[in-house]
Amino acid sequence: MKIFSESHKTVFVVDHCPYMAESCRQHVEFDMLVKNRTQGIIPLAPISKSLWTCSVESSMEYCRIMYDIFPFKKLVNFIVSDSGAHVLNSWTQEDQNLQELMAALAAVGPPNPRADPECCSILHGLVAAVETLCKITEYQHEARTLLMENAERVGNRGRIICITNAKSDSHVRMLEDCVQETIHEHNKLAANSDHLMQIQKCELVLIHTYPVGEDSLVSDRSKKELSPVLTSEVHSVRAGRHLATKLNILVQQHFDLASTTITNIPMKEEQHANTSANYDVELLHHKDAHVDFLKSGDSHLGGGSREGSFKETITLKWCTPRTNNIELHYCTGAYRISPVDVNSRPSSCLTNFLLNGRSVLLEQPRKSGSKVISHMLSSHGGEIFLHVLSSSRSILEDPPSISEGCGGRVTDYRITDFGEFMRENRLTPFLDPRYKIDGSLEVPLERAKDQLEKHTRYWPMIISQTTIFNMQAVVPLASVIVKESLTEEDVLNCQKTIYNLVDMERKNDPLPISTVGTRGKGPKRDEQYRIMWNELETLVRAHINNSEKHQRVLECLMACRSKPPEEEERKKRGRKREDKEDKSEKAVKDYEQEKSWQDSERLKGILERGKEELAEAEIIKDSPDSPEPPNKKPLVEMDETPQVEKSKGPVSLLSLWSNRINTANSRKHQEFAGRLNSVNNRAELYQHLKEENGMETTENGKASRQ
């Protein structure tokens, strides 16, 4: 059981021999006041660091990054080797900080260049490193105590990083052999001790550093397994900034770190307080903070990091910071960060800004579209964390309905059929072993994959793209044709299904053809059946290689599709008949429309003539010298003429309903006698008075005295 990896223990062995006091020959400008220097003053000479100083600074930077991101359970032991081994700290958590290490290194001091090099060797430090790896840490002791009987399951692995100035490749091989023999000896001692643990795996990282401008006497070598317990790799690096870059690369490799560069950080200039400029800050953190980018395949790579890292850095853009961090964001992870260039002004300003309680949202750089905020920088308890925000749909939200369609385009998915498809292809525990025809053991997972492949050889996802899967009559065939082998009963059912389809075509039964996106009635009946037969043939041919009985089903299908000549002739006659019927229906509709228009025009003319005659009669009657107009039938009778009732012109609904009500009411009562005897719809009153006075009523309605 691998509880502790090689990253749990890291031992630094730094050479403190006299040759490490040699200059690295990478000059640093000490006197920077070049422009304002007074004439006559000699400038200060540039300085250069020693190999020892470069090694200590690079190793301290390694430890700083590790302590920033992993303050617990990642331990470092520092050893200085000259005439003997000087262990500067222990595995206890109290000694795991930069202050303790820097104080111990200051006490050691720089190497003495006048010391006897024969008395100094890096081997003392390598032997002490192996001995230190066998010691138990607090975390290992706690894990062994919890496991009790299974204490041997706690792993003891570690890494040795040795920084020295080797003489040749043979010298490197000698160092590797020394470490291998020492591990073998100390494992024997640890096997008989309760306070030591055997080394199960050790990584040896040998770094040969040499001054700038010289040729390296040691060649690089990638990781190589020297024994089941020991692996070794060799790096030949120039001193100075090159050594610091190499240690920065190694810390990312050893602890699975990734790089993120924050761009467009607005900062005020020191010289001009009213102006601001944009800066970039590179941060290191655990690689899990980029897991969403890796899954989506969108890395937003911004090129190599500023320090020339072996990994690409992911670029995120600065957003306007929040005034407070009260708002809750849907966060999927939080990881400690460490600036690459911790002493630079942009890094210092960013860390101070965050430690004051501010939060900064980071967005993915995009050329178009809305911005996507994927990360957030915020501090908790004096430590800065990179929070990963969910940029996709939250698992707390309801999932989108499949019926809504993708972008509103497709909405007729076969949802019910897909549910049945999933139900038929569920995975279940497979306890009893099964064997294939050739006698080999059948793997249940492979069998499940094979069944899924057969069921999906032809399976349309959209209702409008299929005909046979919308027909209940095809279900017996579609459900058994996907089997690996068919029985005689299955073949018989498939043949019956095909014969039923032939009978449906003979009866000219309609098919469930989708007319979505088409105009008119859609394809004709013959075309519908042709589409159905083609799709059915595609389904059967997809499974023709399963067995010989599948071939029989296809032969039956092809035999039924090849119609005799008289059947084809009958189909042609049927199509001609349908065309004639369509033409006759169209002619009848045109004739009825024309006749209806003519009737409406005729009725309109009758009504207009009646109105003109009525107006003319009124004018003549009102004239004092004109004779009485001749008697005419009441105009009401025009509404009861059969022409009006039978007309198909544009008569209003109110007129039709009024005529019907008037006709019905006239049959329910006896007509008034005065209206029956009226002339021009006028009845003369008090006729008996006129008779008593000797008045007579003429035929035309005018009275004359006898």
Side-chain angles (χ1 to χ4, degrees), residues 423-436:
R423 192 177 297 109
E424 294 175 355
N425 292 275
R426 288 181 297 180
L427 291 177
T428 57
F430 198 80
L431 303 178
D432 299 331
R434 292 180 57 178
Y435 296 91
K436 298 181 181 178

Side-chain angles (χ1 to χ4, degrees), residues 336-348:
R336 291 181 173 87
I337 60 99
S338 179
V340 172
D341 192 0
V342 67
N343 293 321
S344 67
R345 181 173 173 268
S347 299
S348 177

Side-chain angles (χ1 to χ4, degrees), residues 48-106:
S48 62
K49 302 176 183 178
S50 63
L51 296 179
W52 163 259
T53 303
C54 295
S55 302
V56 170
E57 288 182 351
S58 301
S59 57
M60 286 296 100
E61 186 68 11
Y62 182 103
C63 296
R64 180 193 67 81
I65 294 174
M66 189 201 72
Y67 286 145
D68 284 348
I69 301 177
F70 302 102
F72 306 104
K73 293 189 177 181
K74 305 297 182 185
L75 309 177
V76 170
N77 194 282
F78 218 90
I79 298 176
V80 174
S81 178
D82 43 26
S83 58
H86 307 280
V87 181
L88 303 185
N89 65 335
S90 64
W91 293 126
T92 59
Q93 191 65 47
E94 292 78 10
D95 291 343
Q96 300 300 316
N97 57 77
L98 287 179
Q99 289 75 18
E100 292 287 338
L101 291 177
M102 295 294 286
L105 286 170

Side-chain angles (χ1 to χ4, degrees), residues 10-16 20 52 55 59 76-82 84-86 121-130 132 159-165 179 204-207:
T10 301
V11 181
F12 267 99
V13 180
V14 182
D15 201 341
H16 196 251
M20 293 296 291
W52 163 259
S55 302
S59 57
V76 170
N77 194 282
F78 218 90
I79 298 176
V80 174
S81 178
D82 43 26
H86 307 280
S121 176
I122 193 65
L123 293 176
H124 303 300
L126 292 175
V127 173
V130 174
T132 304
R159 181 180 293 113
I160 299 175
I161 301 177
C162 177
I163 304 177
T164 183
N165 182 269
V179 173
L204 177 61
V205 181
L206 287 171
I207 301 176

Side-chain angles (χ1 to χ4, degrees), residues 20 194 226 272 296 345 363 431 485 513 584 636 650 665 700:
M20 293 296 291
D194 294 335
L226 303 179
H272 307 284
S296 62
R345 181 173 173 268
E363 64 173 292
L431 303 178
S485 59
I513 298 291
S584 62
V636 181
N665 293 337
N700 56 2

Side-chain angles (χ1 to χ4, degrees), residues 265-269 275-279 281 345-347 349-350:
I265 301 177
M267 291 178 56
K268 292 184 178 180
E269 296 288 347
T275 61
S276 62
N278 293 333
Y279 292 92
V281 174
R345 181 173 173 268
S347 299
C349 291
L350 176 62

